[in-house]
Amino acid sequence: MSSGLDLSETSGTAPSKTAIIYLRVSTADQATRGGREEGFSIPAQREANTRKATSLNAIIVEEFVDAGESGTSAAKRPELQRMLAYVREHRVDYCIVHKLDRLARSRADDVSIHFALKQAGVTLVSTSENIGETPSGMLMHGIMSSIAEFYSRNLANEVTKGLVQKASVGGTVSRAPLGYRNIHVADELGRVNRTVEIDTERAHLITWAFYRYSEGDPTLRTLLDELTARGLTTRPTPKYPARPLLTTTLHKILRNSYYKGEVKYRGVSYPGLHEPLVDPETWQRVQDLLSSHNVAGTHQRTNNHYLRGSVYCGTCGSKLMVTTASNRWGTKYLYFVCSGRTRKLTDCQRQAMSYEKIAELIEEEYRTIALSPELRDDIEELVLQDFDELQAGSADDRKLLEAQRVELTTQRNKLLEAHYAGAIPLDLLKSEQNRIASQLMKISDQLSGLDANFERARSVLADTLDLSRDCFTAYLQADDSTRRLFNQAFFARIYVDEDDETREQTIRVDYNEPFDSLLSRLIPTELYDRLNRNNTTLASIVTDSPTVVSEGQGSQTSTLVGAKGLEPLTCWL
């Protein structure tokens, strides 16, 4: 900005030279200190530079101010770049700075800036240092530039050491994330400490977001809509007002381990001193859900069809994609199309297939997944026996797990001590921390399992086994998100085949383990046929059919295997 200063009154004679001045402070706090628009340093630099221009009998024709810009990189300072462009287009005699380190804190930047000024015929002048074009002045210039670079690098190292030390004791080394506020607290000796406190306006909404998302049904988009409706916004700043969050911001919040009580600095995690907004178990459950959005090759969408990602073309094996078509009255219909054909990855010629038709075929597939009353009771008896054994042995297991947790915690503390002493590099510290954190999480999960309410587990087991006697009915009554979980649990892939002549569609499935092994010996081929023919459930067929073990035959028999199968049931069953 042009200063418009006329120095003829102060010098007594009309100025015969022109000058520009460059002013800079490193931080935004310096630029606004004391509630002033330019703080204190910039006006002081301007006053010193103006006196220097007067002594040189020069008039200041332009002023360039980088407020809150670091001197370590010339390319990132907009006003400096504007100044260099200005001297290329205008005649200027002097470029006046308060000190050389205002212009550059890097020897390389200093050389390039000085060269650009010299090429434009501009003499660099410092109000605080005796530099010039003489040999001694050039020597002084080089020495002062090197000192500025040393100061900058040494300061950066000292700041990093201080931040590492602060993080190691659990302090927050950066701007507090949403839900917290940075504050300054004075101790009894009057020393000011920078710390964080709970933002009462937003913290409860952040906590609610974690627990709401951990329920498994909302997408990031729907969760964001709910949070916005509840009033969650960003923190207002002097430059920007408060505004609703973006989806990417919400995703970063849910991924931030700070909310479970951790501080991360330079890739290393430390136990934080701040109050967590969510417990570690819920935080981990949210991470698992965020990572599981790619299960079956799907991403969360607002219109998320529950069969998406589970159904494949029976001809070429490519995934089937959901598409929408509308008739002339605007009615929309869902179809499956082969991704191999659509993307020209295969030579498949399969036409579009009705989404509803395939959904009905999958519903019918669930008629074949059921437990007979006898098998249901046998499974319950065996699992309850395991419950009793687990409950009896849980005390010894707990002691062992607690000892392992203490040992891992001790290892982590020794790692940090060795890192502070310079005995191990940062990359090794990170990898070891990740290993220990993973093992501690597993131990925590196992301890939580030991703490489980066995009576509640018995009740859940009974309800689940009752439900499994007729998976078809349970599937029909489930909502779309639960149906997706049904399909992902039972089926590795669902293939849709089509008769070339009649175009009649059928499905075949690849079961996930353990259902693949279990169902192959529980449901013979003949029963599959009877199910499809009679439109009934497996439970009703088993009730009316004799239970016979056919000696020397495998899964493709015409009789149902006995309730305990060909081999003893395993503990998971």
Side-chain angles (χ1 to χ4, degrees):
M1 55 185 174
S2 177
S3 63
L5 295 176
D6 185 358
L7 304 181
S8 59
E9 295 180 3
T10 58
S11 63
T13 61
S16 59
K17 302 288 186 179
T18 58
I20 57 174
I21 62 174
Y22 178 75
L23 319 172
R24 182 183 67 83
V25 290
S26 300
T27 66
D29 179 61
Q30 289 175 304
T32 57
R33 187 164 292 169
R36 300 163 64 96
E37 185 178 353
E38 293 185 325
F40 296 110
S41 179
I42 288 178
Q45 292 180 48
R46 181 183 292 117
E47 183 179 351
N49 290 354
T50 302
R51 288 197 303 268
K52 188 66 175 179
T54 303
S55 69
L56 296 171
N57 195 29
I59 183 172
I60 299 174
V61 294
E62 191 73 17
E63 178 184 280
F64 302 89
V65 182
D66 274 318
E69 300 290 343
S70 171
T72 57
S73 175
K76 295 181 180 179
R77 286 181 275 161
E79 285 294 285
L80 174 62
Q81 296 303 316
R82 191 171 74 87
M83 183 189 78
L84 295 177
Y86 181 89
V87 298
R88 289 194 295 267
E89 300 173 0
H90 301 81
R91 179 185 173 279
V92 177
D93 295 301
Y94 301 110
C95 174
I96 304 175
V97 295
H98 183 243
K99 293 178 67 177
L100 286 177
D101 63 4
R102 297 301 86 195
L103 195 63
R105 285 193 182 275
S106 161
R107 184 70 179 126
D109 283 344
D110 178 75
V111 170
S112 62
I113 294 170
H114 191 205
F115 180 76
L117 293 174
K118 192 172 182 179
Q119 285 288 97
V122 180
T123 301
L124 179 63
V125 177
S126 169
T127 63
S128 305
E129 296 133 347
N130 186 22
I131 62 173
E133 298 300 323
T134 65
S136 60
M138 295 289 289
L139 175 63
M140 179 61 70
H141 184 169
I143 292 173
M144 298 307 298
S145 177
S146 298
I147 290 174
E149 181 172 17
F150 168 77
Y151 173 80
S152 177
R153 293 190 177 187
N154 184 64
L155 179 63
N157 288 336
E158 293 300 317
V159 169
T160 299
K161 286 168 58 178
L163 292 177
V164 169
Q165 180 61 32
K166 183 175 182 179
S168 67
V169 297
T172 301
V173 297
S174 59
R175 188 181 187 216
L178 202 65
Y180 296 89
R181 294 191 305 122
N182 294 94
I183 58 172
H184 296 111
V185 178
D187 60 15
E188 62 275 6
L189 299 178
R191 296 172 299 192
V192 176
N193 299 317
R194 296 182 179 182
T195 183
V196 298
E197 68 176 7
I198 296 291
D199 182 353
T200 56
E201 182 181 349
R202 296 173 177 84
H204 67 285
L205 294 175
I206 299 295
T207 302
W208 180 86
F210 274 95
Y211 284 99
R212 178 71 181 95
Y213 194 80
S214 69
E215 295 173 2
D217 55 308
T219 65
L220 284 176
R221 180 71 257 176
T222 57
L223 178 63
L224 180 60
D225 291 341
E226 293 180 31
L227 286 169
T228 302
R230 289 171 176 260
L232 181 62
T233 63
T234 60
R235 285 187 297 252
T237 66
K239 196 171 183 179
Y240 300 105
R243 57 180 182 269
L245 273 60
L246 301 175
T247 307
T248 53
T249 306
L250 178 59
H251 184 269
K252 290 178 181 178
I253 288 174
L254 295 177
R255 284 292 195 187
N256 194 344
S257 61
Y258 189 91
Y259 293 105
K260 67 170 181 174
E262 282 187 0
V263 173
K264 275 192 175 182
Y265 183 64
R266 303 183 72 188
V268 181
S269 299
Y270 308 91
L273 296 175
H274 60 281
E275 180 181 346
L277 295 185
V278 64
D279 61 88
E281 291 75 18
T282 302
W283 185 88
Q284 186 58 47
R285 191 158 59 249
V286 168
Q287 308 317 298
D288 294 340
L289 285 169
L290 290 171
S291 300
S292 70
H293 291 164
N294 286 331
V295 170
T298 64
H299 299 276
Q300 281 195 317
R301 295 173 174 85
T302 303
N303 299 316
N304 200 4
H305 305 292
Y306 66 91
L307 292 180
R308 189 192 301 270
S310 297
V311 188
Y312 292 77
C313 175
T315 302
C316 69
S318 300
K319 191 174 294 184
L320 296 185
M321 304 186 304
V322 179
T323 186
T324 304
S326 303
N327 61 18
R328 55 182 171 177
W329 295 283
T331 304
K332 293 185 177 181
Y333 299 93
L334 293 178
Y335 289 92
F336 274 117
V337 294
C338 176
S339 61
R341 176 181 179 179
T342 302
R343 297 170 179 169
K344 298 182 179 180
L345 301 176
T346 67
D347 57 359
C348 183
Q349 298 300 314
R350 288 287 292 274
Q351 302 293 321
M353 296 158 276
S354 168
Y355 184 96
E356 296 300 328
K357 172 62 176 176
I358 294 175
E360 291 174 3
L361 291 174
I362 294 173
E363 290 174 3
E364 290 301 315
E365 181 68 21
Y366 277 95
R367 290 184 183 275
T368 67
I369 306 173
L371 298 178
S372 67
E374 295 83 0
L375 182 57
R376 176 241 181 262
D377 294 340
D378 286 345
I379 292 174
E380 182 176 35
E381 180 181 352
L382 289 171
V383 176
L384 289 179
Q385 289 176 6
D386 282 345
F387 276 178
D388 293 338
E389 294 175 4
L390 288 171
Q391 195 166 9
S394 62
D396 294 336
D397 292 340
R398 172 177 293 282
K399 290 180 181 179
L400 178 60
L401 291 172
E402 290 287 1
Q404 292 176 354
R405 182 158 66 178
V406 171
E407 174 63 23
L408 288 170
T409 303
T410 303
Q411 288 182 22
R412 183 164 61 182
N413 293 336
K414 288 182 178 179
L415 273 173
L416 290 176
E417 292 174 0
H419 176 61
Y420 299 149
I424 60 173
L426 182 62
D427 56 347
L428 178 59
L429 175 64
K430 291 180 183 178
S431 63
E432 285 298 293
Q433 272 204 332
N434 291 336
R435 176 186 64 81
I436 293 174
S438 176
Q439 293 182 1
L440 285 174
M441 183 59 67
K442 291 179 181 178
I443 290 175
S444 179
D445 292 341
Q446 289 176 290
L447 287 172
S448 298
L450 294 176
D451 290 334
N453 188 322
F454 283 95
E455 293 304 320
R456 174 61 179 163
R458 287 178 168 82
S459 175
V460 171
L461 173 66
D463 293 340
T464 302
L465 290 174
D466 289 339
L467 185 64
S468 66
R469 292 178 61 179
D470 192 354
C471 286
F472 172 70
T473 301
Y475 186 77
L476 289 184
Q477 294 175 349
D479 57 24
D480 285 356
S481 61
T482 305
R483 286 191 176 194
R484 172 183 289 278
L485 295 176
F486 261 94
N487 293 329
Q488 291 176 353
F490 279 102
F491 308 125
R493 289 191 173 194
I494 303 172
Y495 292 98
V496 180
D497 296 315
E498 187 174 82
D499 187 274
D500 292 336
E501 296 180 359
T502 64
R503 293 201 63 191
E504 181 180 357
Q505 293 154 2
T506 57
I507 66 169
R508 52 189 170 87
V509 299
D510 288 343
Y511 284 101
N512 286 317
E513 290 291 354
F515 301 107
D516 187 28
S517 301
L518 175 65
L519 294 175
S520 67
R521 64 177 59 183
L522 293 182
I523 308 175
T525 303
E526 180 181 315
L527 290 187
Y528 274 101
D529 296 337
R530 290 181 60 189
L531 287 171
N532 293 327
R533 217 173 30 243
N534 300 332
N535 194 31
T536 184
T537 64
L538 180 62
S540 61
I541 292 178
V542 172
T543 304
D544 298 331
S545 301
T547 302
V548 181
V549 177
S550 179
E551 182 178 357
Q553 297 187 27
S555 60
Q556 301 301 320
T557 64
S558 60
T559 54
L560 184 66
V561 177
K564 292 191 177 181
L566 298 174
E567 300 174 4
L569 294 175
T570 55
C571 62
W572 66 264
L573 187 56

